[in-house]
Amino acid sequence: MKPPRLSVIEGGDPFRRQAATWFARLRADDVAESDRQGWQRWMAADARHRAAYERIERLWSAAGEHAQHPQIAERLRDATAEAPTAPKRGSREPVAWARYALGAGALAAVVALAAVVPRWLQRPVVETVYLTQVGESRTIALDDGSRVSMDTDSRLVVDFSGDQRRIVLDHGRAYFRVAKAKRPFLVHTEDGSVRAVGTEFEVYRRNDTTEVALVEGRVALLAAPTADAGQAALGTLDPGQKASFRKHQPLHRLAPAAPGALPTWLSGKLVFEDQALSAAVDEFNRYSRRRMVLSGEQVARLRVSGVFRSDDPHAFVEALEELYPVAVDESSGGDIVIAARR
């Protein structure tokens, strides 16, 4: 007998079915910018949309540890075989292809879990996973009154079940406004941890490095734990101070900012001050699936300054063409190629 399907998908709640459809669509190989814009409009239209989508995220994240179970693999094959062909893009039936999307792989493993691990599914979920897609930003309110603003392409795992308020930043960037409480507030990355109580700070995980900028209060930075030494202290930050650290390496102090100055990405802006063009392009590429590509070391070493909107790479490219000896072209794959002007 085949395991039953989960009611989260086929029950009477249209928001859950729509959320499952969007979840699958955003993970498809041919996802387009128009899809992401449509998803963002759908999320913003109703708080129940976001709640349904977050529930799908949590189920999918939880399913990962059981993905190798033989019954889950069997259910994936069955669901894929049953899936009809998806309609062409532009169809006026936004949720008509939900079964196709699910069968194609987004949530079939969760369906199999209903029969494979029913007791596990009934246990309360302690951890909550929050995600942002490329080009998306969002602010979430935590159970303790803290607020977290997430930048593009970021993933957080929140666990407030023990004697600590624990958050793991897998990748991306987040700004934390921490509510005062007796329990310490810790943000963990692969490189170490940030410990705070009632403060505001930014954590950015990229290129195997964690960067921390403190806006208000005080934070302690801790190294990644080791088997023999546990988690050693790296140092502390005062308002305006910044630092970076890598796994099992010492703290590196960065150029400070004005105390109380909020990160510019919170208002949708990217600010470059005498920045290598390669670094500026890397930052812009985080916000769009249409990538900029630099051709040649000479171009990569150019230094740029300015304030730009993170969602408007064309304005950045136009400024480059006007102010620097570069030429811009589009590759056959749709990338924006920046090369030295001949």
Side-chain angles (χ1 to χ4, degrees), residues 25-26 28-38 89 289:
R25 183 68 205 142
L26 293 173
D29 292 338
D30 62 343
V31 62
E33 185 61 32
S34 60
D35 294 320
R36 287 186 286 273
Q37 292 174 357
R89 181 169 294 130
R289 296 188 185 276

Side-chain angles (χ1 to χ4, degrees), residues 99-171:
R99 290 193 180 186
Y100 156 76
L102 300 175
L107 291 176
V110 178
V111 173
L113 284 174
V116 177
V117 281
R119 293 184 180 178
W120 171 79
L121 278 175
Q122 291 171 11
R123 294 205 307 264
V125 177
V126 174
E127 292 184 343
T128 303
V129 179
Y130 297 97
L131 302 169
T132 53
Q133 304 295 326
V134 172
E136 180 198 12
S137 62
R138 61 185 294 195
T139 297
I140 55 178
L142 303 182
D143 291 344
D144 68 333
S146 300
R147 298 182 67 82
V148 184
S149 296
M150 299 176 63
D151 197 10
T152 177
D153 190 21
S154 300
R155 185 180 189 271
L156 287 175
V157 181
V158 178
D159 181 0
F160 282 8
S161 62
D163 57 359
Q164 297 177 345
R165 296 174 289 171
R166 184 176 183 271
I167 292 179
V168 176
L169 176 62
D170 285 334
H171 61 82

Side-chain angles (χ1 to χ4, degrees), residues 299-310:
V299 172
R301 289 195 297 267
L302 290 173
R303 313 295 293 188
V304 297
S305 299
V307 179
F308 304 92
R309 286 178 49 183
S310 60

Side-chain angles (χ1 to χ4, degrees), residues 25-257:
R25 183 68 205 142
L26 293 173
R27 282 152 182 79
D29 292 338
D30 62 343
V31 62
E33 185 61 32
S34 60
D35 294 320
R36 287 186 286 273
Q37 292 174 357
W39 168 71
Q40 290 174 352
R41 289 193 297 270
W42 180 82
M43 290 278 279
D46 194 313
R48 291 171 294 180
H49 292 179
R50 183 175 291 278
Y53 191 86
E54 289 175 352
R55 186 163 188 259
I56 295 294
E57 288 178 340
R58 291 196 295 271
L59 283 171
W60 182 247
S61 178
E65 64 185 276
H66 297 274
Q68 301 305 315
H69 195 287
Q71 288 191 42
I72 295 178
E74 179 184 358
R75 186 67 192 94
L76 278 167
R77 290 193 298 270
D78 292 344
T80 302
E82 295 167 3
T85 303
K88 295 180 181 180
R89 181 169 294 130
S91 168
R92 298 195 178 190
E93 299 180 11
V95 298
W97 48 278
R99 290 193 180 186
Y100 156 76
L102 300 175
L107 291 176
V110 178
V111 173
L113 284 174
V116 177
V117 281
R119 293 184 180 178
W120 171 79
L121 278 175
Q122 291 171 11
R123 294 205 307 264
V125 177
V126 174
E127 292 184 343
T128 303
V129 179
Y130 297 97
L131 302 169
T132 53
Q133 304 295 326
V134 172
E136 180 198 12
S137 62
R138 61 185 294 195
T139 297
I140 55 178
L142 303 182
D143 291 344
D144 68 333
S146 300
R147 298 182 67 82
V148 184
S149 296
M150 299 176 63
D151 197 10
T152 177
D153 190 21
S154 300
R155 185 180 189 271
L156 287 175
V157 181
V158 178
D159 181 0
F160 282 8
S161 62
D163 57 359
Q164 297 177 345
R165 296 174 289 171
R166 184 176 183 271
I167 292 179
V168 176
L169 176 62
D170 285 334
H171 61 82
R173 178 160 53 187
Y175 184 77
F176 300 88
R177 299 172 176 88
V178 181
K180 292 184 178 180
K182 292 182 179 179
R183 289 189 299 171
F185 189 102
L186 287 103
V187 179
H188 301 281
T189 70
E190 285 287 332
D191 307 297
S193 306
V194 183
R195 183 185 179 100
V197 176
T199 188
E200 295 191 18
F201 61 96
E202 172 192 64
V203 182
Y204 189 5
R205 180 83 188 351
R206 61 173 174 175
N207 301 328
D208 297 325
T209 301
T210 296
E211 297 180 7
V212 181
L214 182 64
V215 173
E216 181 181 294
R218 201 176 194 210
V219 296
L221 306 181
L222 308 172
T226 60
D228 54 348
Q231 203 165 13
L234 290 173
T236 60
L237 296 183
D238 292 321
Q241 292 183 333
K242 300 180 180 181
S244 67
F245 52 95
R246 305 184 72 174
K247 194 171 185 178
H248 306 319
Q249 293 189 19
L251 188 70
H252 176 63
R253 300 279 177 173
L254 302 175

